[in-house]
């Protein structure tokens, strides 16, 4: 059953999230980033920050969105539930040092993967097993780009999830079957 939240275009600029671990690492520097519009102030970029939400699908997969509307639709229309996994903020708009986070859906079940790698995104889509849904948001590619919270991706039998560093260690220690795919990018610790 396909998830439908309305008509989306690529890139959607917001509301998307996950990708599968193919290859050795998640490569923090593979994805290219369009430069931010000239004249954008740091304040306007901070004003574009939105919370990232993690939901569990009825198939037991994980879904990520930075759209309050998309989150509410997933809960009310599809019966998915939000988790208590601590996640922070990404930007709706590109910014210097920011990289897009791409969300893809596994075609066999409602399981989603987030990647910052264009090469990984294309490999997954080309495999025919994943559908590209667009851009979740823009995340700092480094601490120097404003990243305060390091985010990792984990996988477990066709399920993928994101976690901040401290929560990653708890998942690996307490939830059998999860393995570390590697670092993804960073998130902002505050809304703005």
């Amino acid at each position: 059953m396909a998830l439908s939240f309305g008509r989306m275009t690529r890139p959607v600029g917001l509301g998307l999230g996950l990708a599968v671990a193919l290859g050795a690492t998640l490569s923090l520097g593979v994805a290219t980033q369009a430069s931010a519009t000239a004249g954008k102030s740091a304040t306007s970029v901070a004003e574009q920050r939105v919370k990232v939400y993690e939901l569990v699908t009825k198939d037991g997969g994980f879904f990520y969105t930075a759209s309050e509307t998309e989150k509410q639709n997933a809960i009310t229309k599809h019966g998915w539930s939000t988790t208590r996994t601590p996640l922070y903020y990404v930007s709706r708009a590109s910014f210097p040092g920011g990289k897009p986070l791409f969300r893809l859906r596994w075609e066999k079940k409602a399981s989603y993967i987030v990647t910052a790698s264009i090469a990984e995104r294309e490999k997954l889509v080309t495999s025919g097993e994943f559908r590209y849904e667009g851009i979740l948001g823009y995340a700092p590619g480094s601490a120097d780009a404003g990243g305060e919270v390091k985010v990792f991706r984990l996988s477990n039998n066709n399920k993928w999830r994101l976690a901040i560093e401290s929560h990653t260690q708890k998942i690996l220690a307490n939830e059998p079957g999860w393995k570390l795919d590697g670092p993804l990018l960073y998130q902002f610790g505050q809304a703005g």
Side-chain angles (χ1 to χ4, degrees), residues 20 59-62 106 108-113 129-130 154-161 177-178:
V20 123
D59 289 333
F62 291 86
W106 188 40
K108 294 181 182 179
K109 291 186 179 182
S111 191
Y112 296 79
I113 187 166
E129 293 186 22
F130 291 84
L154 299 99
S155 60
N156 181 356
N157 195 26
N158 296 315
K159 295 182 210 170
W160 303 271
R161 66 189 301 190
W178 288 99

Side-chain angles (χ1 to χ4, degrees), residues 123-143:
K123 187 172 184 176
L124 292 169
V125 170
T126 302
S127 76
E129 293 186 22
F130 291 84
R131 180 179 65 240
Y132 174 58
E133 292 194 338
I135 297 174
L136 171 67
Y138 296 85
S142 67

Side-chain angles (χ1 to χ4, degrees), residues 1-3 59 77-78 80 105 107-110 112 131:
M1 168 183 290
L3 177 65
D59 289 333
K77 293 181 180 177
H78 301 286
W80 298 357
R105 182 185 192 279
E107 292 288 5
K108 294 181 182 179
K109 291 186 179 182
Y112 296 79
R131 180 179 65 240

Side-chain angles (χ1 to χ4, degrees), residues 20-52:
V20 123
L22 299 173
T25 67
L26 293 179
S27 179
L28 293 174
V30 174
T32 59
Q33 168 63 36
S35 62
T37 306
K40 243 186 202 178
S41 71
T43 304
S44 67
V45 170
E47 290 170 356
Q48 294 289 325
R49 292 180 189 174
V50 289
K51 179 123 179 74
V52 176

